[in-house]
Amino acid sequence: MANALPHSLLNGAIVPTNDARISPLDRGFLFGDGIYEVVPVYAGKPLRLSAHFDRLQDGLDALEIANPYSRARWAELVHELIASNGGGDMGVYLEVSRGAGKGRDFLPEPDMQPTVFGFCFPITPPKPELLARGIAAATLEDIRWQRCDIKSIALVGPVMLKMEAKRRGADEAILVRGERLAEGSSSAVFVVKNGRIATPPASHERLPSITRLVVGDVLDALKLPLEVREVRRGELPAADEIWIASSTREALPVTSLDGKAVGEGGPGPVWRRVFDEFQALKQREAG
Ligand code: PLP
């Protein structure tokens, strides 16, 4: 991820990123007690903002944190934040923690005031070399918790998994729970075999990825059916294509898995069609 842009959002105000301060007693810091979102922005316009707000609300509901803002206020703040950083292409990170207490009780104090922090970082289109080569992934056992559907700020599991993937020469970890594909350490996963495209269904084991919805719309536009079903670990090395998808990386081809070529070892033809249509969708919706 690129460096933070100069302006941030802190509790309703746009402030210089370097001057933003929160209490060390904030429960986000002490307990990882909060949720976050990452929204892609193209030409100053957020893509699927309302889906990101839906997921943010679901996370707050799961953690029993009252949403500090209405939808309209959130949208206003996000647009102010984007404008303060000059518009263009960027990722917007939004975090809501339960707020700062008087000490460090596990049980939250009543009537806590959530802390809201947001910052932006530049996103650039994937480089031609990356698109030509694809990425390497490593299959790792999912060591995270049982509520991966919540976009929790407690991310030490994926941090450890990313470090392990890097040690194995990979850019992403593809996580399995026993024989079942879970998801990427920070991405949704699609597999293609004999022209059939599959991705696992929503469950507590995976984040409801917004990019997965976008890829679903892209596949609809291409009239390519998507099978939403459990994917077995054994299908991964046998796949013709594997893609990962996330808000900041769109859909990228995985061309090597655990050091072995996926399919022909290069980005596959189905991914190429998805990539092109994804760019067209971005232009239509946000460009
Ligand atoms: N799964 C996990 C665990 C993630 O962290 C992410 C994104 O960070 C995704 C899936 C993809 O979600 P989205 O498409 O909403 O970015």
Side-chain angles (χ1 to χ4, degrees), residues 74-133:
W74 268 114
E76 233 168 56
L77 289 170
V78 167
H79 284 104
E80 269 179 48
L81 179 60
I82 294 167
S84 73
N85 285 301
D89 292 357
M90 61 180 80
V92 174
Y93 174 91
L94 299 172
E95 172 171 335
V96 183
S97 82
R98 201 182 300 273
K102 298 187 186 71
R104 192 184 161 274
D105 281 337
F106 275 69
L107 267 182
E109 293 161 25
D111 305 322
M112 297 198 64
Q113 190 57 46
T115 301
V116 176
F117 174 63
F119 77 95
C120 302
F121 54 93
I123 50 176
T124 45
K127 301 237 172 351
E129 309 86 80
L130 177 65
L131 296 179
R133 192 185 66 232

Side-chain angles (χ1 to χ4, degrees), residues 25-154:
L25 294 184
D26 196 282
R27 292 179 63 93
F29 181 60
L30 294 179
F31 293 105
D33 187 358
I35 53 103
Y36 75 107
E37 274 300 322
V38 176
V39 186
V41 173
Y42 299 104
K45 283 196 196 163
L47 186 68
R48 304 283 164 109
L49 186 57
S50 71
H52 284 277
F53 286 158
D54 286 344
R55 189 171 65 185
L56 181 120
Q57 186 63 55
D58 289 345
L60 291 174
D61 290 347
L63 269 55
E64 301 177 49
I65 296 176
N67 194 334
Y69 304 129
S70 67
R71 281 277 171 129
R73 182 67 184 136
W74 268 114
E76 233 168 56
L77 289 170
V78 167
H79 284 104
E80 269 179 48
L81 179 60
I82 294 167
S84 73
N85 285 301
D89 292 357
M90 61 180 80
V92 174
Y93 174 91
L94 299 172
E95 172 171 335
V96 183
S97 82
R98 201 182 300 273
K102 298 187 186 71
R104 192 184 161 274
D105 281 337
F106 275 69
L107 267 182
E109 293 161 25
D111 305 322
M112 297 198 64
Q113 190 57 46
T115 301
V116 176
F117 174 63
F119 77 95
C120 302
F121 54 93
I123 50 176
T124 45
K127 301 237 172 351
E129 309 86 80
L130 177 65
L131 296 179
R133 192 185 66 232
I135 68 162
T139 315
L140 296 178
E141 184 64 32
D142 196 347
I143 57 166
R144 303 170 304 160
W145 67 332
Q146 307 293 333
R147 289 302 308 273
C148 293
D149 55 317
I150 300 173
K151 202 162 167 66
S152 159
I153 57 173

Side-chain angles (χ1 to χ4, degrees), residues 36 38 52 55 144 151 183-188 207-212 245-248:
Y36 75 107
V38 176
H52 284 277
R55 189 171 65 185
R144 303 170 304 160
K151 202 162 167 66
E183 59 180 342
S185 65
S186 61
S187 56
L207 187 75
S209 155
I210 310 298
T211 320
R212 179 174 170 276
S246 80
S247 290
T248 50

